[in-house]
């Protein structure tokens, strides 16, 4: 019995060559094609993973080091040494970016209502997340970029300022559009470390509070004899002072109970923490507020030859005041209860925008004609006096930043 052997099929002369079983050069990795050893390509990822592990296991030490370095930058803003402002701002920018990355590694719930709102939209929309990241990066680096651009001349400096303001305005407009025409909340560039999980070593007071046992209590909890339910143990009270302290910490009864109250913002859905804008005054107010820095920067660019010209300052201030009045009218007409009917996130944003109006006293023509003389007088009056002389030097150094650069007084 014989088996049939497969007959060979003749291959035409114009047929393409048979593909080989080995992978082609087009599908091989970039490392293999460039003949780079894989050891060199894995080193950066190994360093990054090592750094992430270090930060997560030494969060308290990392936070302390960041605070110490940041305090050093506050004492080096002036002109006592060559290129001191640039070096100080470079260190400040690096620390800000590093702090943002460390906060991303150490972030843990519970988050503040504002951060919950931001994280909701960042998870829902990739555009929102990218705009938020770009906006924060620009805010961290804008002063350093202005200092570098100033070395190329005033024209280059103002071009960089206008471009950065346009980028920030576009990011905010996209964020407002993606979120369903909601007001853009500040991105929390100030102190982001409030959402960190910082591991602190246990103290003797903590050990006492955890291991405290009362009569009828088991493991620091009170077991109800009839139902079997367990109630958490209250902090021990001090009969001499009449205050309650967690492990002797001195926390009053009102503070202890208030810290455990659930507010309306904590039970709201994240997207309901900020209302949608439906009326024309509300949309116009938000648009004026976002575009104000761009218009103000363009006006300053046109009047850069005369720093005491009042026109850019009056234009920018009038736009911000108009946006604020329109926003108040929108809240009054569309929100039940007015400002009291807003969420805590919205009230904090309105308060932040209101305090931002005070920076107009440190900008443009008002600073050149009014505030600069007052600041220089205060700095000169403190010189030559014990201890206060250092304060006068710091004030004089910051006067240099406020007078020579645009972004130190920017609020957006």
């Amino acid at each position: 019995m014989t088996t049939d052997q497969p007959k060979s099929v003749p291959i035409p002369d114009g047929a393409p060559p048979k593909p080989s079983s080995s992978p082609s050069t087009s599908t091989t990795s970039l490392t293999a094609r460039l003949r780079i050893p894989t050891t060199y390509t894995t080193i950066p990822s190994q360093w990054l993973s090592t750094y992430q592990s270090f930060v997560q296991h030494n969060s308290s030490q990392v936070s302390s080091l960041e605070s110490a370095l940041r305090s050093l930058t506050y004492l080096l803003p002036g002109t006592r040494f060559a290129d001191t402002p640039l070096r100080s701002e470079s260190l400040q920018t690096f620390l800000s970016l590093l702090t943002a990355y460390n906060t991303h590694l150490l972030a843990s719930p519970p988050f503040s209502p504002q951060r919950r709102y931001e994280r909701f939209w960042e998870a829902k929309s990739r555009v929102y997340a990218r705009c938020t990241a770009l906006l924060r990066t620009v805010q961290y680096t804008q002063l350093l970029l202005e200092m570098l651009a100033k070395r190329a001349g005033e024209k280059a400096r103002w071009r960089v300022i206008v471009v950065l303001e346009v980028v920030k305005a576009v990011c905010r407009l996209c964020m407002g559009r993606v979120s369903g025409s909601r007001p853009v909340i500040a991105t929390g560039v100030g102190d982001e470390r409030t959402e960190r999980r910082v591991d602190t070593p246990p103290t003797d007071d903590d050990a006492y509070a955890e291991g405290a046992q009362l009569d009828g209590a088991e493991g620091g909890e009170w077991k109800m004899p009839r139902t079997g339910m367990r109630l958490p143990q209250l902090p021990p009270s001090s009969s001499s002072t009449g205050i309650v302290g967690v492990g002797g910490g001195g926390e009053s009864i009102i503070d202890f109970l208030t810290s455990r109250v659930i507010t309306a913002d904590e039970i709201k859905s994240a997207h309901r923490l900020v209302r949608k804008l439906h009326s024309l005054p509300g949309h116009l107010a938000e648009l004026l507020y976002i575009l104000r820095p761009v218009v103000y920067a363009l006006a300053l660019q046109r009047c850069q030859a005369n720093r005491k010209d009042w026109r850019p300052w009056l234009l920018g201030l009038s736009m911000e005041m108009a946006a604020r009045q329109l926003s108040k009218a929108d809240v009054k007409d569309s929100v039940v209860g007015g400002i009291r009917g807003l969420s805590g996130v919205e009230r904090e944003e309105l308060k932040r925008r209101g305090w931002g109006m005070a920076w107009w006293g440190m900008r443009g023509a008002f600073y050149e004609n009014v505030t600069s003389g007052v600041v220089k007088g205060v700095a000169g009056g403190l010189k030559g006096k014990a201890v206060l002389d250092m304060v006068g030097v710091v004030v004089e150094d910051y006067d240099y930043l406020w007078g020579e650069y645009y972004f130190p007084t920017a609020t957006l």
Side-chain angles (χ1 to χ4, degrees):
M1 182 176 181
T2 60
T3 58
D4 297 334
Q5 297 294 333
K7 298 181 179 180
S8 60
V9 180
I11 300 176
D13 296 336
K18 181 181 179 181
S20 60
S21 59
S22 60
S24 62
T25 56
S26 60
T27 59
T28 54
S29 64
L30 181 63
T31 303
R33 278 184 282 171
L34 297 179
R35 298 181 180 179
I36 300 176
T38 56
T39 306
Y40 297 150
T41 59
T42 57
I43 287 178
S45 60
Q46 292 177 356
W47 289 350
L48 184 60
S49 61
T50 302
Y51 176 76
Q52 292 175 350
S53 177
F54 172 79
V55 170
Q56 291 172 353
H57 290 85
N58 301 274
S59 55
S60 58
Q61 291 85 346
V62 170
S63 298
S64 300
L65 181 60
E66 289 175 356
S67 300
L69 292 177
R70 196 176 300 276
S71 301
L72 178 63
T73 62
Y74 294 149
L75 301 177
L76 300 174
T79 57
R80 285 166 285 178
F81 307 101
D83 293 335
T84 299
L86 183 59
R87 295 177 183 179
S88 175
E89 188 59 29
S90 300
L91 179 58
Q92 177 74 17
T93 302
F94 171 74
L95 284 176
S96 299
L97 296 173
L98 184 64
T99 300
Y101 182 69
N102 292 343
T103 302
H104 173 71
L105 296 178
L106 299 175
S108 63
F111 299 108
S112 64
Q114 176 181 342
R115 190 62 189 131
R116 275 203 307 125
Y117 174 79
E118 293 174 352
R119 290 175 65 90
F120 169 80
W121 287 109
E122 289 172 2
K124 186 176 181 180
S125 172
R126 185 177 301 178
V127 175
Y128 192 98
R130 290 179 177 178
C131 288
T132 303
L134 178 59
L135 182 59
R136 288 185 178 181
T137 304
V138 171
Q139 289 176 318
Y140 288 140
T141 59
Q142 58 190 7
L143 181 53
L144 178 61
L145 295 176
E146 182 185 358
M147 289 181 173
L148 294 174
K150 190 174 182 179
R151 294 189 168 191
E154 285 296 317
K155 289 185 178 181
R157 169 179 168 245
W158 282 108
R159 287 173 185 168
V160 170
I161 291 173
V162 171
V163 168
L164 292 178
E165 290 292 5
V166 169
V167 170
K168 292 191 294 182
V170 171
C171 288
R172 291 190 175 93
L173 291 174
C174 292
M175 292 164 64
R177 179 65 177 174
V178 170
S179 61
S181 299
R182 288 177 169 84
V184 179
I185 304 299
T187 55
V189 169
D191 189 7
E192 320 182 288
R193 291 171 290 178
T194 54
E195 65 181 85
R196 286 190 179 185
R197 180 190 70 255
V198 179
D199 300 328
T200 55
T203 60
D204 295 338
D205 295 337
D206 296 334
Y208 171 77
E210 292 180 1
Q213 300 228 350
L214 301 177
D215 293 338
E218 298 179 4
E221 295 180 348
W222 181 268
K223 183 177 181 181
M224 303 179 70
R226 185 173 63 87
T227 61
M229 295 180 60
R230 296 179 181 272
L231 298 178
Q233 175 191 346
L234 290 175
S237 60
S238 173
S239 58
S240 61
T241 59
I243 56 178
V244 173
V246 180
E251 183 183 11
S252 67
I253 296 177
I254 296 178
D255 294 338
F256 172 75
L257 296 177
T258 303
S259 64
R260 284 154 177 80
V261 173
I262 299 178
T263 62
D265 288 348
E266 293 176 344
I267 62 176
K268 278 185 179 179
S269 301
H271 68 280
R272 296 183 59 191
L273 292 173
V274 179
R275 63 188 177 89
K276 288 185 178 182
L277 298 175
H278 297 286
S279 65
L280 179 61
H283 285 283
L284 187 58
E286 193 66 16
L287 187 63
L288 284 175
Y289 183 76
I290 292 175
L291 296 181
R292 191 272 307 163
V294 179
V295 176
Y296 179 61
L298 287 171
L300 286 176
Q301 185 183 27
R302 291 180 60 88
C303 303
Q304 58 181 301
N306 184 11
R307 300 176 62 177
K308 295 187 177 182
D309 193 342
W310 284 93
R311 290 176 296 176
W313 187 85
L314 292 174
L315 177 60
L317 179 62
S318 61
M319 288 184 65
E320 189 152 350
M321 290 185 66
R324 186 164 180 80
Q325 294 302 319
L326 288 171
S327 179
K328 288 183 177 180
D330 173 65
V331 171
K332 183 179 179 181
D333 295 338
S334 59
V335 179
V336 179
I339 295 181
R340 293 184 178 180
L342 297 176
S343 66
V345 176
E346 293 176 291
R347 287 197 300 270
E348 286 297 323
E349 178 64 17
L350 287 178
K351 186 186 299 184
R352 188 193 67 82
R353 294 185 182 187
W355 280 108
M357 297 281 292
W359 279 105
W360 284 104
M362 307 295 293
R363 292 183 187 144
F366 194 93
Y367 184 81
E368 295 293 335
N369 295 299
V370 181
T371 316
S372 179
V374 177
V375 173
K376 287 181 171 62
V378 172
L382 296 177
K383 284 186 177 181
K385 298 180 180 180
V387 181
L388 296 179
D389 181 72
M390 180 180 296
V391 179
V393 171
V394 173
V395 172
E396 189 177 23
D397 293 343
Y398 276 97
D399 174 67
Y400 170 78
L401 288 180
W402 295 329
E404 296 296 326
Y405 296 100
Y406 168 86
F407 283 114
T409 58
T411 55
L412 285 179

